[in-house]
Structure formats: C-alpha cells, structure tokens
Amino acid sequence: MSGTLSLTEALIERASVTPDDQACQSLMIERLARIGFECETIESGGVTNLWAVKRGTDGDAAKLLAFAGHTDVVPTGPLEQWTSPPFTPTHREGKLYGRGAADMKASLAAFVVSSEEFVAANPQHRGSIAFLITSDEEGPATDGTIKVVEALQARGTRLDYCIVGEPTSSVTLGDMVKNGRRGSMTGKLVVKGVQGHIAYPHLAKNPVHLLAPALADLVAEKWDDGNEYFPPTTWQVSNLHSGTGATNIIPGHADLMFNFRFSTASTVESLQSRVHAILDKHKLDYDLKWIVSGLPFLTPRGALSEALEKAIRDETGVQTELSTTGGTSDGRFIARICDQVVEFGPPNGTIHKIDEHVEVRFIEPLKNVYRRVLEQLIA
C-alpha cells in the first residue's frame, strides 16, 4: 500500500463531520512536524484550523506556496443506504469508499506525502511551503479559513501561490482545474400588500399581483455577458411564498428568496442597485435584505496555473481545462491574501453522495502532481 493511500484511509476513519476535526489535523501535524514545519492551531467557535509553514532558504524573499483544504466532511445520510460503513475505508473494484474519500481526504493525504517527498529530495529548497487547513468548509465557513486569513492579514503575511485540494476533476484525474469561482449573493424580499377577504379585493392589495410584473422583469433581465473565464451572471428564484393556506384570504405579504451567481463582470453594488431599480419602477412597498456569501475570484493564466498544467500533463498525459464552474469554495477567502489561487483534486462525481469514493489509481498520481508543482515553483 502506498503512503498516500494509507494516510487517506487513516483520515477517512476519523468521522470529522463539520465542525468536528476528530484529530485529523493532529495526524497531519505529527507528519509535518517531522520534516520541519512550524505548526500553529487556530481555534474559533468550535472550529479547528491549522497554519503550518516550512521555511525556505531564501528567507524573507522566499516564494510561499500554500496547500489549502478542509478536514470536515458532510453528514453521511442514511447509514443503511451505504454499501459499507462510511467511516470504514473499504476497497471494491479498484475504488476506495468512505465519506470524504474524494472531498477531500485523498487531497489532504497527497498534500502531506508530496511535501514529505519534496523536502527529502530538496532539503535546501529555496521557497517556503504552507498548509492552511480548516474543519469548517462544509458548514457555515464563518470560523474556518476566513479566520486564518484574517490572522495572516494582521501579520502582513501574503501567499504567492495557493493550491486548494477541492475535487475539481470531471471524468479523469487532471481534466479540469478551477482558476476561479463565481460569487454568491442571496436576496430576501418581502413585498407588502393589504390582507383582506378574497370576495372584496377592492378593500385589499394582493402582494402577489403587485410582485408579478417586477418578477417578470427580473427574470428577463440580462445582468452581464460574462468574460473570457466566466459565463454570464445568473439570477434564480429559490423560494416563493405567500398566503395563510386559506382559500378566501388575500395575503398581506409575499416572500421571495433569490440568488445571484455572479462573475467578475459585475459587482455586488451594481447588481443590488439594478434589483432595487426594477422594484422601485413598479412602485412596490418592500423590504429587501442581502446576504453575500462569497465574492468571485479569478486567477488569470500565470506561473501557478502553468506549473499545474505542466505537472498534470507530465504525470497523466491529460491536457487540463481551466474552469470557473461550480459552487463557492474557500478560495474566495484566500484570494484576499494571494493573487494566484487554483483548485485541483480528484474526480468529483460522488462527492456528498451515498457511497462516496475515489479511484485508487488516481491517488498516487495526485500526490505526484502536487510534488511536481513544488519542484517547479520553490525548489
């Protein structure tokens, strides 16, 4: 059994459902400390975070490459639906099954073992290596990576490169790398009417009727054209509710929840302003609360993406695709202190599902790709 596979299994055995790290980071710290990493645990709100650094011989001028990820996993769902226990690593037909196998304990193990191999082969490496690991990525993400980023900002620490180990591949290892993510912004709209008897509509104001023309405009609006890296911004209704459940009452308010997935072609302020303009055009009496859960980030082609593309090609023969599709990730926080953030990990077809798994044949190449990037950028 390879060292990477063995460590992946050891991490899967720990039922680290958000925000309980279950000592996954302690296991990583034990390995990293042996090869000279200075390890710091940052706790916040019941979340365990790790910041670890192995400094290069270039001192303060050393380029800093960080591996970032999360030890927490989503809940298992119904245990009886799993073919094997979710926290018992199990092999079937060339696949390793277990919660977190793909998202993202294989990547964590590959981070550690690639660093061990790199340091052994390059004891006088010029650049520095760091680990930024949290147990709060799958949950609210309010006490995880963002807290480490804030601590690093306070110290004046910036990263030159960051690889987030999210499972980005599609069909085979290396066919897709994320070099950015869209932002996410939710609006909670309440349109006010006047409740009344449905037989006397002249004595009431139906908020659903009032909302309908504005809703049609919002659906029809073209928010932007996207750009080279991002598709156009999308606006979607996620919830619409009104009424008491009775058949003879005009409701007093209509509640609409919607979400933007937006690119760097738009800003939070511009999107909010345009929504308010549409609502005001229809003279609605309303309250609107905004929740920005993530800003978009983008890493244009550069040293990190090129090194990763070359490492993938040399290791697997696959020509990778840069993409910004998918949901949000902790890359949105790390981009505040790092100009080059990319995400790369194993195929994501089973993440968050019953019988989550990773193909064993991808685990060693994943580790090797990470090691090749280290060799290119900080040896």
Side-chain angles (χ1 to χ4, degrees):
M1 181 183 295
S2 77
T4 316
L5 176 57
S6 177
L7 182 54
T8 302
E9 292 186 355
L11 291 168
I12 291 172
E13 287 176 338
R14 302 177 185 225
S16 53
V17 177
T18 313
D20 189 357
D21 175 65
Q22 281 286 307
C24 287
Q25 291 174 34
S26 295
L27 180 58
M28 297 174 68
I29 288 170
E30 181 182 349
R31 301 278 290 260
L32 294 174
R34 290 180 198 160
I35 57 173
F37 276 80
E38 303 167 15
C39 301
E40 175 186 2
T41 296
I42 301 173
E43 296 182 341
S44 176
V47 172
T48 305
N49 302 300
L50 169 63
W51 171 248
V53 181
K54 173 74 167 61
R55 304 189 186 281
T57 58
D58 279 357
D60 292 340
K63 294 289 187 180
L64 177 55
L65 186 153
F67 290 123
H70 58 90
T71 54
D72 61 317
V73 299
V74 296
T76 62
L79 292 175
E80 66 275 10
Q81 294 185 18
W82 283 74
T83 306
S84 53
F87 296 112
T88 301
T90 304
H91 290 259
R92 293 193 301 276
E93 298 178 342
K95 301 178 180 68
L96 172 62
Y97 287 80
R99 174 59 84 221
D103 189 13
M104 53 178 289
K105 292 186 173 179
S107 294
L108 295 178
F111 284 165
V112 172
V113 178
S114 66
S115 298
E116 291 172 336
E117 293 181 356
F118 173 77
V119 170
N122 302 274
Q124 298 301 311
H125 56 90
R126 298 175 61 187
S128 300
I129 316 170
F131 278 64
L132 197 171
I133 309 297
T134 184
S135 68
D136 180 35
E137 193 273 346
E138 299 289 9
T142 54
D143 289 285
T145 297
I146 183 62
K147 294 298 183 183
V148 181
V149 167
E150 289 171 352
L152 295 177
Q153 284 179 310
R155 301 172 191 178
T157 300
R158 286 193 62 83
L159 315 179
D160 294 288
Y161 317 109
C162 181
I163 299 176
V164 184
E166 290 292 342
T168 60
S169 299
S170 179
V171 177
T172 191
L173 181 69
D175 59 2
M176 185 171 290
V177 168
K178 306 290 186 181
N179 66 320
R181 296 278 189 165
R182 294 177 296 173
S184 177
M185 178 167 62
T186 294
K188 295 183 177 180
L189 174 67
V190 178
V191 175
K192 302 173 185 177
V194 176
Q195 182 174 309
H197 196 291
I198 209 158
Y200 302 96
H202 60 289
L203 299 178
K205 287 185 179 180
N206 194 316
V208 178
H209 297 185
L210 298 172
L211 170 61
L215 180 57
D217 283 355
L218 289 166
V219 170
E221 185 76 4
K222 183 178 182 180
W223 302 98
D224 60 44
D225 294 317
N227 55 36
E228 176 186 359
Y229 296 101
F230 287 98
T233 291
T234 61
W235 183 92
Q236 288 290 316
V237 172
S238 54
N239 286 275
L240 177 58
H241 175 76
S242 189
T244 65
T247 61
N248 60 351
I249 299 176
I250 293 172
H253 59 87
D255 300 340
L256 176 72
M257 188 179 297
F258 59 84
N259 180 266
F260 280 105
R261 291 301 167 105
F262 62 104
S263 73
T264 53
S266 292
T267 66
V268 166
E269 294 76 17
S270 68
L271 295 174
Q272 290 182 355
S273 175
R274 290 169 66 185
V275 169
H276 281 284
I278 290 172
L279 298 176
D280 293 341
K281 181 183 75 172
H282 291 279
K283 297 181 170 42
L284 298 179
D285 183 8
Y286 67 91
D287 291 324
L288 178 54
K289 295 181 179 179
W290 294 98
I291 301 170
V292 180
S293 54
L295 296 174
F297 74 92
L298 175 66
T299 299
R301 290 185 182 275
L304 179 56
S305 63
E306 290 171 1
L308 187 54
E309 285 178 299
K310 183 178 187 303
I312 291 169
R313 185 172 61 251
D314 291 348
E315 181 64 30
T316 68
V318 172
Q319 183 62 46
T320 195
E321 173 190 355
L322 295 181
S323 172
T324 59
T325 57
T328 59
S329 78
D330 277 359
R332 68 191 190 274
F333 304 128
I334 300 168
R336 301 182 188 182
I337 58 170
C338 184
D339 292 331
Q340 296 190 57
V341 181
V342 298
E343 304 173 18
F344 170 61
N348 55 26
T350 66
I351 62 174
H352 294 206
K353 292 183 178 180
I354 301 294
D355 283 349
E356 178 182 351
H357 61 265
V358 62
E359 292 191 50
V360 173
R361 65 189 176 101
F362 292 145
I363 292 178
E364 277 301 290
L366 175 64
K367 177 263 297 180
N368 291 339
V369 169
Y370 293 149
R371 191 195 67 239
R372 287 176 184 270
V373 173
L374 289 171
E375 291 166 348
Q376 291 182 67
L377 295 179
I378 67 167

